[in-house]
Amino acid sequence: MLINLLRTHRWIRVSLSGLSVALLLGGVGLVGYPFFTNAWQGRIQAELDDQLVSPELQQAYKERKVETGDSLTRIRIPALDVDVVVVEGITPSALRAGAGHYPATALPCEGGNVAIAGHRTTYGRPFGNLDQLKAGDTIDLITPIGACQYKITKNPWVVQPTELGIIAPTEDKVVTLTTCHPKGSAAERLVVQGTWVQDIKAA
Amino acid sequence: MRMFRRTGAIALAALVVSAFMVVPSPASAQTVQTRAESFIATASARALNLSILNLNVTVGGSGIQMTSAPAGKATGAGVLLAPGTISTVEATTAGQALAPPKACVVDLPLLNLIDVELACGEARVDTNPGGPQTFGRGSVAAINVGGQQILALLAPVLDVLTPLLDQVLGTVQPVLGSLLGNLTGPLLTQLNVDPNTGLVSSLVDGLKQATQLATIRLGDSTSQGITEPGKITATANAQGGQIDVLPGLALGGAPLLSIVVGSAKATSVFDRAGGTSTPGFDAAILTVKLGLPILGGVTEIPVKLGAPLTLLAGTPLESTIALGAGTTTRNPDGSVSSVADGVKIHLLKGISGGILLELAHAESSIGGNTQLVEQQKIVEPVAQLAKTGGDPWVPMAGFVLLLAAFTTRRLVVARPSGNRRPADH
């Protein structure tokens, strides 16, 4: 019946054909979204790699004038095989680099709480396996002017997105990593904290 | 087959279009008005500055300079005239830790005037995170002021005495008094010469036996710049020492004159949180011991600040000792400096101008600006922890759309039931 109707009314057939194309475009776009973000993040990281070692950024870092979206530090988590450049800022556009530094928190390797947010399922998912970290694992931060190592003090735990206390200033040198939880959702946040162990030579 | 080709073409187009849909815009530049912390700190100390026969020698010198760049320079010198005793190091970029080996020279004669037993210079700089840190040290074991040129200083005394060589000492007492003042008695006693029977030649021979005029033992001179989380400190410290004039001349082997100088310390501190600088000093403490038997053995003489002490006045051995003060200065730009002056000693003024020594001098300065604290940054307040997770409905919705697209397409390409081509037989 419906098919006969399509045969007798050409405009219906054309409309449905156009609709199917639109649905296909949208479907492929949505399904492929994580893959596109990963590819894009890889492209950004290549640029950030170069920027991190540039004299201009080193000067900006010394003057604390690193702008949102620019390279700030490299984070290495040997236990997760993570090695990415962290940018300044946690705006959505900045976080397309994969990981971003909360601007109101301390700079890496300096006194206070250094807070870094990272994607878990998209944009290279640098913190995709953050839940697998455990106390004793190390986190290295390599800035344009130095490097230091932190040691995780306790296993990851989950907080509500509004629990800002975990990125509040501290007297000790602390690093705080946050990512969304559970995977694919932004309902909660997974947190990992480590304390400064030593300054290291940047490799 | 045609349907597969068309579907493939559409899928390819979808990939291209959706790639543009998800390509992010460049990160927006957010102007964050901050001011980096800046500071400059200096410190220098010298254990001894010696001026003799128009020769100036600085012994035991050190100095540092460091800035917030971070950069630092440090110098340590056993003797500033002797390159082998000088260590200098400079770091101009972050992440440097430089510590060259100590520069030392054993038994260093200088122009036949002085002999330095062991002189060393040491310097270190570290600009790694948490820094900068700088350190300089100059040290000497001992200095002997002697040699033929120094002994020649006694020539005027000997010249006056030479025409009187064969005369009995007692007969030339006025001449001896004008030359040696109240030292005449102790000297003769020390040399075992009887004024009533001894000849002037005995006294001259005794004076000629002198091997050195003074022995100086000095403490280290250190300059240090230390960066800590709450403050930055520039410290200069000259640890003083002891000067023995005509060692072994007086009774019991004691020197004629012994001058003990305490340490002089100048400190300048920059408070990183408050941005204020504070100067401070500890001036040298001085003790003078006179080994004249006529004064009843070794006598300790106090020296008051601002009141120079003159010993053996009226004789060729006249010496003046002035105890330096300490000062602090606060400049309009907030920087401060401090000086801990040590001791200025003018020995044997009556002999060719004598020997001028300045001991234990330390000075330091510091100034800077604090880093603007985070609250002053133009930063959007964080309402919640950063959202870094995807929306789980996105891929699911994608599959639903794909299913709908497939179904719709099937409807379009399906043939009406009454129009089907009969099967071939």
Side-chain angles (χ1 to χ4, degrees), chain B residues 11-343:
Chain B
L12 186 62
L15 271 170
V16 173
V17 171
S18 56
F20 280 104
M21 286 166 56
V22 299
V23 164
S25 58
S28 60
Q30 180 188 7
T31 302
V32 180
Q33 292 184 344
T34 60
R35 183 184 64 201
E37 179 187 56
S38 64
F39 61 81
I40 180 167
T42 64
S44 67
R46 62 170 187 260
L48 169 68
N49 196 41
L50 177 67
S51 176
I52 177 170
L53 295 179
N54 296 319
L55 172 71
N56 287 301
V57 184
T58 296
V59 179
S62 63
I64 63 100
Q65 179 175 325
M66 66 182 200
T67 69
S68 48
K73 184 177 182 180
T75 302
V79 179
L80 273 183
L81 286 176
T85 71
I86 301 173
S87 177
T88 299
V89 65
E90 182 171 15
T92 55
T93 59
Q96 292 181 280
L98 307 173
K102 265 187 179 182
C104 291
V105 171
V106 180
D107 195 13
L108 178 71
L110 290 175
L111 303 176
N112 291 326
L113 292 176
I114 63 173
D115 182 62
V116 181
E117 286 185 8
L118 173 64
C120 292
E122 183 182 358
R124 297 195 299 268
V125 170
D126 190 335
T127 55
N128 279 308
Q133 317 284 349
T134 53
F135 177 80
R137 184 207 306 266
S139 60
V140 292
I143 302 166
N144 299 314
V145 182
Q148 291 306 312
Q149 290 193 48
I150 294 293
L151 293 176
L153 291 174
L154 293 173
V157 177
L158 299 176
D159 287 346
V160 172
L161 293 174
T162 301
L164 312 171
L165 282 178
D166 295 328
Q167 297 187 39
V168 176
L169 283 168
T171 61
V172 293
Q173 200 65 262
V175 179
L176 292 177
S178 66
L179 284 174
L180 305 173
N182 54 10
L183 275 178
T184 309
L187 272 176
L188 295 178
T189 305
Q190 181 66 25
L191 298 172
N192 287 321
V193 179
D194 184 351
N196 298 318
T197 57
L199 300 178
V200 174
S201 52
S202 302
L203 173 62
V204 172
D205 289 342
L207 288 174
K208 284 181 176 177
Q209 286 171 9
T211 55
Q212 57 190 39
L213 283 187
T215 298
I216 304 169
R217 290 187 292 277
L218 291 172
D220 290 351
S221 147
T222 57
S223 298
Q224 195 164 16
I226 300 175
T227 302
E228 297 175 278
K231 64 182 179 182
I232 293 152
T233 308
T235 305
N237 189 357
Q239 291 181 349
Q242 179 168 333
I243 302 171
D244 292 338
V245 181
L246 295 176
L249 186 70
L251 287 176
L256 174 68
L257 194 65
S258 183
I259 301 164
V260 181
V261 182
S263 66
K265 186 176 181 182
T267 307
S268 297
V269 181
F270 175 61
D271 178 359
R272 304 179 78 176
T276 55
S277 300
T278 309
F281 67 86
D282 291 320
I285 300 170
L286 178 70
T287 306
V288 179
K289 291 176 181 173
L290 195 60
L292 284 176
I294 198 171
L295 297 172
V298 177
T299 307
E300 188 168 320
I301 303 170
V303 181
K304 290 181 181 175
L305 188 66
L309 172 69
T310 300
L311 298 167
L312 310 175
T315 75
L317 304 180
E318 180 177 314
S319 300
T320 303
I321 302 167
L323 178 59
T327 57
T328 60
T329 308
R330 190 174 292 278
N331 301 310
D333 64 357
S335 64
V336 297
S337 59
S338 56
V339 177
D341 245 339
V343 179

Side-chain angles (χ1 to χ4, degrees), chain A residues 22-52:
Chain A
L23 289 171
L24 185 64
L25 284 172
V28 170
L30 292 176
V31 170
Y33 176 72
F35 304 102
F36 296 132
T37 63
N38 290 342
W40 182 250
Q41 188 259 2
R43 209 179 98 184
I44 294 177
Q45 280 289 318
E47 295 171 2
L48 294 174
D49 262 340
D50 295 336
Q51 190 190 30
L52 189 63

